[in-house]
Structure formats: structure tokens, C-alpha cells
Amino acid sequence: MEAARVDPAAGLDVDKLTYEIFSILESKFLFGYDDPKLFSAGGSPQLGATVASGKATPVRTAVTAAGKGKVCILSIDGGGRAADGLLAGTALVRLEASLRRRTGDQEARLADFFDVAAGSGAGGVLAAMLVARGPDGRPLFSAEDALAFLLRSLRRGWSGGGCGGGPGSLRALFRRPSAAFRKLFGDLTLRDTVRTVLVPCYDLATAGPFLFSRADAVETPAYDFRLRDVCAATCAGSDGSTAAVEVRSSDGSTRIAAVGGGVALGNPTAAAITHVLNNKREFPLAAGVEDLVVVSIGSGEGEQRPAGGGASTSEIVKIAAEGVADMVDQAVAMAFGHSRTNNYIRIQATGTPRASRGAAKGGCVAEEMLSQKNVESVLFRGKKVAEETNAEKLERFAHELVKERDRRRTSPIAPAVVKQQPATAASSVRPAASYSNRVSHLLTSIM
């Protein structure tokens, strides 16, 4: 009878306590928090008392400092099908158009609203294009330019109404990557970007993932690579071949034998978040996921495979890559927890749209994806179909991005973003391992 008279509100306290415990585990093992100063005991009374007694690690507070801004992150998945780049490219065009409409600035670019751009495979090409700096100091390419580049490259591989080289392969784009990317970027390097950029590949020489990063490039010339080589490295092997691409840093001291970023980190969202939260030089006030706004764009789920049939080695690799990408999304969604609605969205296609099997232009492929409601993870509740379509999510987050930009312009407290300056010659000796790649190896061991 006593148990029956327990206050129903106690159940809410238990849920909150469970969430806070989950936050500790996510913070420590996914994002590498280990500094007590980054946590607060402002949670439930039960956990607060435990923290005060020194018997537990304090949890992150859900309340940011007054006037404190958020770091805005754009993450774009990699993929090995023609539709993959088109899905992401069209979503970026839709988002950029919404930002221009809301601000009234027809020259606005995505790089004006995001502090970090991360991309893998075709997503790495899109990310590099969006943040490359032009002669006037402004972003060199718009989202429309990036999508147009993919369309031009892909059409060269299409014959008739279908996609050449198999069902939607990126063979046309990646057949001669060095030539295509040389014309696109010239001699621009990672330092020549208007925003922080992160692009992964897998280095056969060290048998581990490698993360191209502007932060590392600014730190030392040994990690400053030409953007054309970065794109070639993250796309290597995406045409189904096993050939690696050898790239060297701009000073020639670092050599990488690269295969595609999809092998190492098809969904770079967690790597981007970890980079921000641990890079106190550029983001000194970013203490937890509540200080971030993250837009993650997926590459669409693969073709349905017949049950009971065998799978080739390349198909197994694709299955593994898709599984890891979904796991990263689920882990990140859980880490954001109750703040996910305003701080994190995932744009993803559910299955491969039928339009991809015969549409010469491919535009309807992405439009179909944007009209879908994808499946998303819910804290302690498994998965559910989202209430909003992908297009509606983009519109809602366009509002959040504009609001953050306006806050930066009017608030006396600047957001936690400080651009790094290149290291001096005396301090540019190549380190044993770059910061970004220590993070990359950490993520690999966790996953």
C-alpha cells in the first residue's frame, strides 16, 4: 500500500536522473569530456547531492551562460552512388535559399552561417567547395555552384536514361579526380578556407583514419594539404576500385596513401562535434552539446538486398559503412537528448528513391528525399518516424541559424569562435600526431 502512494512525480525524477547518468557516459566516451569544469551539478536533487559528496562525476548543465552563442556545425555524409551527392547538394541548395529569403541577402552563403563544415566522400567535396576562400575573401562557391559541379560530373557518366557504370555509381566524378579538382580549386590549401573544415580518409600507410583539418594546417605546414588533394583522398575508391590515391602536404613532408572517407568515417558528425568541444583555441566557450547547433545530412539508405542471397566484398563494405553512419547518428542524437529538437537535425532519405533509376537530371531524386519523413532515434524510446519532413526540418533550422547570426551581431558577448592564425616558422616543426587525428583514432576505438 505504501508503494501505491508514491508520488507520481517521482517517475519523472527517475527519468531525469537516468538521462543525466546517460549524459555522463556519452560525454566521457563519445566526446571525450574529462574536465570537471565543463560539468555542473545543476541536475536532479539526487544526483546533485551525489556530486557534492564527491562520489560521482558532475553532469552537464542544460543552461548556457546568458548571451552565450552556439557553434554551428554542418556535416555531410559520404557515399558511393550518384544519388548520394545529389541528395546532399539539393538539401544544401534548399537551406541556402531559405537563409537568403529570411535575411533578404541574395549574396548570402552557407559559410556565413556555419562555423564548421565536415564532409566525407562526395560530402567532403561539397564541404570543401562551400568554405573555399575566393580572391575577395568571400566563399568561392555557393550551394548552387556545388550542386551544379556534381551534376556536370555525373552526367558525363550517364548513358541513356540511367547512370553509367552500374546503379548510380560516382564513377564519372571519381575517374580522374585530380584533373577535376585541380580545375575547381587550383592551388588553394586547407588554410585558404573561410571556415573550419574537416574531411576524413583512410591512410593505408598508418592503417588508420586520417582527418584533414584546417586547425592542423594552421598549426603546421606538415598538415596543410591542397584542397584538390583532400577531395581526391576522401573520394578514392568510391568508383568501386581498390586503388589508393597518394597525396602529400603542401610542403611535401607528409605523405598519405588514401582510400575514401566512407571507409573510415562515412558520417563525420561525431568527429566534428569532438573537434569543436576539444579545440579550445578556436571554440573556447563551447563546453557541451547544448552549446552547438548541428545539421547532419545523410546520403540515403542503400538499395534493398534480397534476403538469403550472398553479398560481394564491396557490398559488405557498403553495408558496414551505412551501419556505422547510422550508429553515429543514433549516438549523437542520444547525446543531445532533450535538447535535440533545437540543437540537432538529421536529414536522411528512407530507402533509395525510385526516381534515381532513370532520371537523367536527378533533381526529382532529391526532391523526393526532401518530402520524406525519415526515421529518427528517441532517447530511451528506440526509433520513430519524424513528425516533420526533411524540407520542414531545413526550414526550421534555417530560422535557428538566422537567429544565431542576428544574436552575434547584436549581443555584446561574442560567440565562442576565434579564428586561428598560422604558426610561425620556428613553431612549425611537424608534431608526432595531429590533434584531429588523435581524435579520429579515439573515435575509431570507441566505435
Side-chain angles (χ1 to χ4, degrees), residues 73-75 77 91 95 114 267 269 273 292-298 329 332-333 336 339-348 374 376 386 388-401:
I73 300 173
L74 173 64
S75 175
D77 282 16
L95 179 58
F114 287 100
N267 181 349
T269 307
I273 293 173
L292 310 177
V293 171
V294 180
V295 177
S296 174
I297 302 180
D329 170 48
V332 170
F336 275 92
S339 66
R340 172 179 179 175
T341 303
N342 296 322
N343 292 56
Y344 174 73
I345 59 166
R346 173 73 167 168
I347 305 300
Q348 176 68 299
N374 67 337
E376 59 185 23
E388 300 172 299
T389 65
N390 286 318
E392 290 169 342
K393 288 182 181 180
L394 288 173
E395 285 293 327
R396 178 164 57 85
F397 264 68
H399 173 72
E400 294 295 327
L401 291 168

Side-chain angles (χ1 to χ4, degrees), residues 16-236:
K16 189 174 182 181
L17 179 62
T18 305
Y19 167 64
E20 290 171 346
I21 293 173
F22 181 85
S23 297
I24 294 172
L25 297 175
E26 285 291 318
S27 299
K28 187 171 183 62
F29 294 107
L30 179 61
F31 299 131
Y33 295 160
D34 203 25
D35 185 353
K37 295 179 181 179
L38 302 184
F39 300 90
S40 167
S44 66
Q46 301 98 316
L47 192 61
T50 306
V51 169
S53 68
K55 296 180 179 179
T57 303
V59 299
R60 287 172 288 143
T61 179
V63 181
T64 57
K68 183 178 176 182
K70 290 181 171 61
V71 178
C72 301
I73 300 173
L74 173 64
S75 175
I76 312 169
D77 282 16
R81 296 165 300 147
D84 297 341
L86 298 183
L87 297 180
T90 303
L92 294 172
V93 169
R94 176 72 68 94
L95 179 58
E96 188 173 73
S98 180
L99 292 170
R100 289 177 174 177
R101 184 176 66 253
R102 291 172 182 274
T103 60
D105 182 4
Q106 295 307 307
E107 298 301 319
R109 301 284 173 87
L110 286 174
D112 297 329
F113 298 86
F114 287 100
D115 304 302
V116 179
S120 178
V125 178
L126 292 171
M129 290 186 70
L130 293 176
V131 300
R133 186 175 66 235
D136 59 354
R138 292 282 296 151
L140 187 58
F141 302 104
S142 66
E144 294 99 322
D145 297 330
L147 178 59
F149 170 74
L150 287 182
L151 284 170
R152 286 195 305 270
S153 300
L154 293 169
R155 281 178 188 148
R156 297 189 186 109
W158 286 346
S159 57
C163 302
S169 71
L170 288 170
R171 208 175 289 271
L173 175 57
F174 301 146
R175 184 180 294 120
R176 296 180 62 200
S178 297
F181 298 140
R182 181 184 295 273
K183 183 176 181 181
L184 197 65
F185 296 110
D187 289 325
L188 294 178
T189 72
L190 288 168
R191 293 189 184 188
D192 301 318
T193 56
V194 295
R195 294 290 182 268
T196 296
V197 61
L198 299 167
V199 180
C201 71
Y202 187 87
D203 181 18
L204 295 178
T206 59
F210 187 91
L211 197 61
F212 296 101
S213 162
R214 190 189 72 176
D216 293 330
V218 171
E219 191 72 21
T220 169
Y223 288 110
D224 188 22
F225 292 80
R226 293 179 179 84
L227 289 178
R228 65 178 189 242
D229 293 334
V230 170
C231 291
T234 197
C235 293

Side-chain angles (χ1 to χ4, degrees), residues 256-347:
I256 302 230
V259 292
V263 175
L265 213 61
N267 181 349
T269 307
I273 293 173
T274 306
H275 176 88
V276 170
L277 296 180
N278 290 279
N279 183 358
K280 296 306 177 184
R281 292 189 180 183
E282 288 187 279
F283 312 103
L285 300 181
V289 292
E290 66 275 2
D291 298 324
L292 310 177
V293 171
V294 180
V295 177
S296 174
I297 302 180
S299 60
E301 296 179 356
E303 300 275 1
Q304 290 187 347
R305 299 170 178 87
S312 65
T313 302
S314 61
E315 288 176 329
I316 292 174
V317 171
K318 289 180 181 179
I319 292 170
E322 291 171 4
V324 171
D326 288 341
M327 285 182 63
V328 170
D329 170 48
Q330 183 171 354
V332 170
M334 296 300 97
F336 275 92
H338 297 303
S339 66
R340 172 179 179 175
T341 303
N342 296 322
N343 292 56
Y344 174 73
I345 59 166
R346 173 73 167 168
I347 305 300

Side-chain angles (χ1 to χ4, degrees), residues 358-372:
K361 294 185 178 180
C364 52
V365 177
E367 290 301 325
E368 183 178 342
M369 180 275 288
L370 291 175
S371 67
Q372 291 179 346

